[in-house]
Amino acid sequence: MTRNKIYDVIIIGGSYAGLSAAMALGRSLRNVLVIDSGKTCNAQTPHSHNFITQDGIKPSVIAKKAKEDVLQYNTVEFLNDLVIDGKKAQNNFEISTEKGEQIKGKKLIFATGIKDLMPDIKGFSDCWGISVIHCPYCHGYEFKGQKTGIMANGDTAFHIASLVNNLTNDLTIFTNGKNNFNIEQTDKLKKNNIKIIESQIIEVEHDNGNIQKIALENGKKMTFNAMYAAIPFKQHSELPITLGCETTEQGYIEVDNFQKTSIEGVFACGDNSTMMRSVANAVANGNIAGAMANMELIHNEF
């Protein structure tokens, strides 16, 4: 089904960043369509932290309230669907969805997030976002003073250890193979009593996502309360790359300080374009993306 309406902005992704962009645009009386499939990367996370006024609230509760707030602006519409294709056509973008919708918009905002790629370790994915965590600012306080692991190696592990070291005196790095720390890093880790274990992790034993023990290939089991993990990811949607958006070496969509991508008229915000993964940051750069998309529309019209 082709919609006759040409939207000022189509926002692909309706979580924190996308809804924040929609609010900025709705308050500027822009006709906006937010398309969201309902697959959020933090669906398993029990509480959101480090976001003033919302500290400790369940992420889905924040998102539900945000959607209710945004839909108070009657120029904003919401479509529960999955975008599967898109192209630039003359002065507009044409978007195709899984349910057969054909939609046109003057500007695009991708708030599509990323998909974490889980390692082949039994129990790991069950604990992800609960007690196997990625960010000390989002989760670290809740595990302060507790027995904590880090599953990473080299510079990444060293960086995480430096961030977490003041939160606990019981810290162990699991390198899952021979460690590749340099001499200076090794000395600093030893100085701070941070242990290094090279044996492979084969299972994370847990109770409803809460770590009980970490089982190693050498047969040893160790009790832990939490474990930070640096794991790879991929873009949740390949459409920005298909349209020609440049990406960074790390795999994020490349944006400038105004959330503009390398393609004219296309913006990106939230986890798909920054390593600073938090609800607060997604809301902030979503707001910028919405404001800047509106500014471009103004320049075209005025």
Side-chain angles (χ1 to χ4, degrees), residues 150-166:
I150 296 172
M151 194 184 84
N153 204 347
D155 292 342
T156 300
F158 185 80
H159 174 67
I160 297 172
S162 69
L163 291 175
V164 179
N165 190 48
N166 71 308

Side-chain angles (χ1 to χ4, degrees), residues 277-294:
R277 294 177 63 180
S278 72
V279 174
N281 192 64
V283 169
N285 58 47
N287 184 265
I288 293 170
M292 291 303 105
N294 182 59

Side-chain angles (χ1 to χ4, degrees), residues 34-195:
V34 181
I35 307 173
D36 185 68
S37 63
K39 297 177 181 178
T40 59
C41 68
N42 66 351
Q44 193 166 276
T45 304
H47 303 101
S48 175
H49 291 285
N50 205 28
F51 184 16
I52 55 173
T53 76
Q54 302 297 318
D55 193 46
I57 305 299
K58 189 175 177 63
S60 60
V61 173
I62 299 173
K64 182 176 183 291
K65 178 63 165 61
K67 184 178 177 181
E68 291 170 354
D69 289 348
V70 169
L71 290 180
Q72 295 297 312
Y73 297 93
N74 58 17
T75 61
V76 179
E77 300 175 39
F78 199 91
L79 176 64
N80 183 15
D81 205 343
L82 177 67
V83 172
I84 57 173
D85 199 8
K87 63 181 179 179
K88 182 74 180 288
Q90 296 181 335
N91 296 322
N92 300 314
F93 294 93
E94 295 182 0
I95 296 300
S96 302
T97 75
E98 191 174 59
K99 295 179 181 178
E101 296 262 15
Q102 302 291 321
I103 308 163
K104 293 182 180 180
K106 298 173 186 176
K107 305 289 179 185
L108 285 183
I109 296 178
F110 285 101
T112 40
I114 57 176
K115 180 177 177 60
D116 296 303
L117 302 176
M118 300 293 150
D120 186 20
I121 297 173
K122 185 179 179 181
F124 185 99
S125 61
D126 296 318
C127 299
W128 184 241
I130 301 171
S131 60
V132 175
I133 51 183
H134 77 283
C135 173
Y137 297 105
C138 298
H139 307 284
Y141 184 86
E142 282 61 49
F143 294 102
K144 65 184 184 298
Q146 299 185 46
K147 193 173 177 64
T148 302
I150 296 172
M151 194 184 84
N153 204 347
D155 292 342
T156 300
F158 185 80
H159 174 67
I160 297 172
S162 69
L163 291 175
V164 179
N165 190 48
N166 71 308
L167 294 174
T168 178
N169 293 320
D170 196 339
L171 194 57
T172 301
I173 296 175
F174 295 93
T175 57
N176 276 329
K178 184 171 177 56
N179 84 77
N180 51 20
F181 299 114
N182 61 38
I183 294 174
E184 182 182 358
Q185 289 172 335
T186 301
D187 288 344
K188 285 187 176 181
L189 292 171
K190 287 181 179 178
K191 180 182 177 181
N192 286 281
N193 299 312
I194 297 172
K195 297 173 283 295

Side-chain angles (χ1 to χ4, degrees), residues 195-210:
K195 297 173 283 295
I196 301 171
I197 294 179
E198 296 180 328
S199 183
Q200 294 273 351
I201 296 173
I202 60 170
E203 183 178 356
V204 180
E205 297 182 3
H206 66 94
D207 179 18
N208 291 320
N210 297 296

